Amino acid sequence: MAANKKQNAGQTSLHKVIMVGSGGVGKSALTLQFMYDEFVEDYEPTKADSYRKKVVLDGEDAQIDILDTAGQEDYAAIRDNYFRSGEGFLCVFSITDSSSFDDTQDFREQILRVKGVDSTTAGSIPFLLVGNKSDLETNRQVSQADAQQFADKMGVQYVETSAKTRNNVDKVFYDLMGMIQQEKAKVVADSDKPDKAKTGCSCIIV
Ligand code: GDP
Ligand code: MG
């Protein structure tokens, strides 16, 4: 463990987050609110972009890299490359649009397929289900209970946000980064463990 700490000294960790979800749900608005503390009403809907920001996570300097996808990834190969490069996913729908909620299932499945995990190991992929536009309560089409039930079924956390009022915006990004960091720590811990298979094998040879 100490060796690993030393290895990482002077090197800030970088967490790669991908925004997924159908068009118009607020992926760009959430990203820009997190990045620049402002609500952008009319961000170009076809534009995918990436952003980087310094953050402090658990008292340590870190960086977040956000890829804001735009649904123009017509070629599955491009989309798959995006998903493959991601370490964590904010899967966004709008609480005012039930079809965007239905779409989240496809996004989830695509991510798990690209990451090569099945439902038993899906917990290793940092993923949050985000119901955005919580300020538009009067236009709600997806109940909190339905979204929560779906999240429970997938074994993920559900959080409602508003890119307009900034409600829970920091929370979803920081919660996800925390999950990514935990997964990375697990991988390091696993690689620290003595390889029992190898030890056993060399004993036999000796
Ligand atoms: P994207 O296609 O998922 O990137 O969606 P955008 O971020 O471009 O947002 C689509 C529209 O919804 C824009 O007009 C935004 O201003 C609006 N919008 C996004 N998030 C919110 C929100 O939390 N509340 C409200 N009221 N409008 C939002
Ligand atoms: Mg956008």
Side-chain angles (χ1 to χ4, degrees), residues 33 39 134-136 161-169:
Q33 182 61 269
F39 178 54
S134 64
D135 57 293
L136 298 177
T161 55
S162 168
K164 188 167 184 175
T165 67
R166 214 170 199 281
N167 182 44
N168 281 340
V169 171

PDB file of all heavy atoms in Angstrom, residues 33 39 134-136 161-169:
ATOM      1  N   GLN A  33     -22.989  23.965 -16.010  1.00  0.00           N
ATOM      2  CA  GLN A  33     -23.275  24.450 -14.661  1.00  0.00           C
ATOM      3  C   GLN A  33     -22.173  23.994 -13.701  1.00  0.00           C
ATOM      4  O   GLN A  33     -21.675  24.766 -12.890  1.00  0.00           O
ATOM      5  CB  GLN A  33     -24.644  23.932 -14.206  1.00  0.00           C
ATOM      6  CG  GLN A  33     -25.114  24.378 -12.851  1.00  0.00           C
ATOM      7  CD  GLN A  33     -25.269  25.873 -12.708  1.00  0.00           C
ATOM      8  OE1 GLN A  33     -24.321  26.545 -12.310  1.00  0.00           O
ATOM      9  NE2 GLN A  33     -26.446  26.413 -12.993  1.00  0.00           N
ATOM     10  N   PHE A  39     -26.061  28.730 -15.995  1.00  0.00           N
ATOM     11  CA  PHE A  39     -27.076  27.945 -16.691  1.00  0.00           C
ATOM     12  C   PHE A  39     -27.140  28.414 -18.142  1.00  0.00           C
ATOM     13  O   PHE A  39     -27.462  29.566 -18.410  1.00  0.00           O
ATOM     14  CB  PHE A  39     -28.437  28.129 -16.005  1.00  0.00           C
ATOM     15  CG  PHE A  39     -29.554  27.377 -16.693  1.00  0.00           C
ATOM     16  CD1 PHE A  39     -29.458  26.010 -16.937  1.00  0.00           C
ATOM     17  CD2 PHE A  39     -30.704  28.039 -17.090  1.00  0.00           C
ATOM     18  CE1 PHE A  39     -30.485  25.309 -17.566  1.00  0.00           C
ATOM     19  CE2 PHE A  39     -31.749  27.354 -17.713  1.00  0.00           C
ATOM     20  CZ  PHE A  39     -31.634  25.991 -17.959  1.00  0.00           C
ATOM     21  N   SER A 134     -35.443  18.981 -12.276  1.00  0.00           N
ATOM     22  CA  SER A 134     -36.293  18.830 -11.089  1.00  0.00           C
ATOM     23  C   SER A 134     -37.021  20.135 -10.749  1.00  0.00           C
ATOM     24  O   SER A 134     -37.975  20.133  -9.972  1.00  0.00           O
ATOM     25  CB  SER A 134     -35.463  18.359  -9.890  1.00  0.00           C
ATOM     26  OG  SER A 134     -34.517  19.338  -9.542  1.00  0.00           O
ATOM     27  N   ASP A 135     -36.570  21.252 -11.330  1.00  0.00           N
ATOM     28  CA  ASP A 135     -37.281  22.530 -11.097  1.00  0.00           C
ATOM     29  C   ASP A 135     -38.620  22.578 -11.846  1.00  0.00           C
ATOM     30  O   ASP A 135     -39.479  23.404 -11.531  1.00  0.00           O
ATOM     31  CB  ASP A 135     -36.392  23.712 -11.546  1.00  0.00           C
ATOM     32  CG  ASP A 135     -35.975  23.600 -13.007  1.00  0.00           C
ATOM     33  OD1 ASP A 135     -35.195  22.672 -13.332  1.00  0.00           O
ATOM     34  OD2 ASP A 135     -36.398  24.405 -13.828  1.00  0.00           O
ATOM     35  N   LEU A 136     -38.808  21.681 -12.817  1.00  0.00           N
ATOM     36  CA  LEU A 136     -40.049  21.701 -13.604  1.00  0.00           C
ATOM     37  C   LEU A 136     -41.050  20.673 -13.062  1.00  0.00           C
ATOM     38  O   LEU A 136     -41.606  19.867 -13.812  1.00  0.00           O
ATOM     39  CB  LEU A 136     -39.737  21.422 -15.083  1.00  0.00           C
ATOM     40  CG  LEU A 136     -38.838  22.445 -15.784  1.00  0.00           C
ATOM     41  CD1 LEU A 136     -38.539  22.025 -17.220  1.00  0.00           C
ATOM     42  CD2 LEU A 136     -39.491  23.830 -15.770  1.00  0.00           C
ATOM     43  N   THR A 161     -31.722  16.229 -10.269  1.00  0.00           N
ATOM     44  CA  THR A 161     -30.917  17.447 -10.356  1.00  0.00           C
ATOM     45  C   THR A 161     -31.698  18.539 -11.081  1.00  0.00           C
ATOM     46  O   THR A 161     -32.678  18.264 -11.770  1.00  0.00           O
ATOM     47  CB  THR A 161     -29.643  17.197 -11.209  1.00  0.00           C
ATOM     48  OG1 THR A 161     -30.046  16.696 -12.481  1.00  0.00           O
ATOM     49  CG2 THR A 161     -28.692  16.223 -10.561  1.00  0.00           C
ATOM     50  N   SER A 162     -31.203  19.752 -10.933  1.00  0.00           N
ATOM     51  CA  SER A 162     -31.654  20.833 -11.808  1.00  0.00           C
ATOM     52  C   SER A 162     -30.427  21.615 -12.254  1.00  0.00           C
ATOM     53  O   SER A 162     -29.732  22.211 -11.424  1.00  0.00           O
ATOM     54  CB  SER A 162     -32.615  21.779 -11.088  1.00  0.00           C
ATOM     55  OG  SER A 162     -32.795  22.946 -11.885  1.00  0.00           O
ATOM     56  N   ALA A 163     -30.185  21.593 -13.547  1.00  0.00           N
ATOM     57  CA  ALA A 163     -29.071  22.386 -14.079  1.00  0.00           C
ATOM     58  C   ALA A 163     -29.419  23.865 -13.975  1.00  0.00           C
ATOM     59  O   ALA A 163     -28.540  24.717 -14.006  1.00  0.00           O
ATOM     60  CB  ALA A 163     -28.797  22.004 -15.527  1.00  0.00           C
ATOM     61  N   LYS A 164     -30.709  24.165 -13.835  1.00  0.00           N
ATOM     62  CA  LYS A 164     -31.136  25.567 -13.764  1.00  0.00           C
ATOM     63  C   LYS A 164     -30.888  26.150 -12.373  1.00  0.00           C
ATOM     64  O   LYS A 164     -30.304  27.227 -12.236  1.00  0.00           O
ATOM     65  CB  LYS A 164     -32.618  25.672 -14.120  1.00  0.00           C
ATOM     66  CG  LYS A 164     -33.095  27.092 -14.247  1.00  0.00           C
ATOM     67  CD  LYS A 164     -34.447  27.157 -14.899  1.00  0.00           C
ATOM     68  CE  LYS A 164     -34.859  28.605 -15.109  1.00  0.00           C
ATOM     69  NZ  LYS A 164     -36.119  28.697 -15.838  1.00  0.00           N
ATOM     70  N   THR A 165     -31.321  25.423 -11.337  1.00  0.00           N
ATOM     71  CA  THR A 165     -31.159  25.958  -9.971  1.00  0.00           C
ATOM     72  C   THR A 165     -29.852  25.482  -9.327  1.00  0.00           C
ATOM     73  O   THR A 165     -29.523  25.868  -8.227  1.00  0.00           O
ATOM     74  CB  THR A 165     -32.317  25.500  -9.062  1.00  0.00           C
ATOM     75  OG1 THR A 165     -32.221  24.085  -8.883  1.00  0.00           O
ATOM     76  CG2 THR A 165     -33.668  25.840  -9.665  1.00  0.00           C
ATOM     77  N   ARG A 166     -29.144  24.587  -9.986  1.00  0.00           N
ATOM     78  CA  ARG A 166     -27.893  23.974  -9.515  1.00  0.00           C
ATOM     79  C   ARG A 166     -28.137  22.893  -8.443  1.00  0.00           C
ATOM     80  O   ARG A 166     -27.191  22.386  -7.833  1.00  0.00           O
ATOM     81  CB  ARG A 166     -26.926  25.046  -8.976  1.00  0.00           C
ATOM     82  CG  ARG A 166     -25.496  24.667  -9.268  1.00  0.00           C
ATOM     83  CD  ARG A 166     -24.487  25.754  -8.986  1.00  0.00           C
ATOM     84  NE  ARG A 166     -23.249  25.468  -9.704  1.00  0.00           N
ATOM     85  CZ  ARG A 166     -22.361  24.600  -9.294  1.00  0.00           C
ATOM     86  NH1 ARG A 166     -22.525  23.955  -8.181  1.00  0.00           N
ATOM     87  NH2 ARG A 166     -21.269  24.364 -10.019  1.00  0.00           N
ATOM     88  N   ASN A 167     -29.401  22.549  -8.235  1.00  0.00           N
ATOM     89  CA  ASN A 167     -29.705  21.537  -7.219  1.00  0.00           C
ATOM     90  C   ASN A 167     -29.024  20.205  -7.542  1.00  0.00           C
ATOM     91  O   ASN A 167     -29.244  19.639  -8.622  1.00  0.00           O
ATOM     92  CB  ASN A 167     -31.232  21.348  -7.152  1.00  0.00           C
ATOM     93  CG  ASN A 167     -31.641  20.350  -6.095  1.00  0.00           C
ATOM     94  OD1 ASN A 167     -31.129  20.371  -4.982  1.00  0.00           O
ATOM     95  ND2 ASN A 167     -32.527  19.439  -6.449  1.00  0.00           N
ATOM     96  N   ASN A 168     -28.229  19.714  -6.589  1.00  0.00           N
ATOM     97  CA  ASN A 168     -27.545  18.411  -6.696  1.00  0.00           C
ATOM     98  C   ASN A 168     -26.544  18.288  -7.839  1.00  0.00           C
ATOM     99  O   ASN A 168     -26.094  17.183  -8.144  1.00  0.00           O
ATOM    100  CB  ASN A 168     -28.557  17.254  -6.819  1.00  0.00           C
ATOM    101  CG  ASN A 168     -29.154  16.878  -5.483  1.00  0.00           C
ATOM    102  OD1 ASN A 168     -28.587  17.198  -4.438  1.00  0.00           O
ATOM    103  ND2 ASN A 168     -30.286  16.200  -5.491  1.00  0.00           N
ATOM    104  N   VAL A 169     -26.191  19.402  -8.479  1.00  0.00           N
ATOM    105  CA  VAL A 169     -25.254  19.307  -9.607  1.00  0.00           C
ATOM    106  C   VAL A 169     -23.873  18.862  -9.117  1.00  0.00           C
ATOM    107  O   VAL A 169     -23.304  17.893  -9.626  1.00  0.00           O
ATOM    108  CB  VAL A 169     -25.173  20.643 -10.382  1.00  0.00           C
ATOM    109  CG1 VAL A 169     -24.040  20.616 -11.406  1.00  0.00           C
ATOM    110  CG2 VAL A 169     -26.503  20.919 -11.085  1.00  0.00           C
TER     111      VAL A 169
END
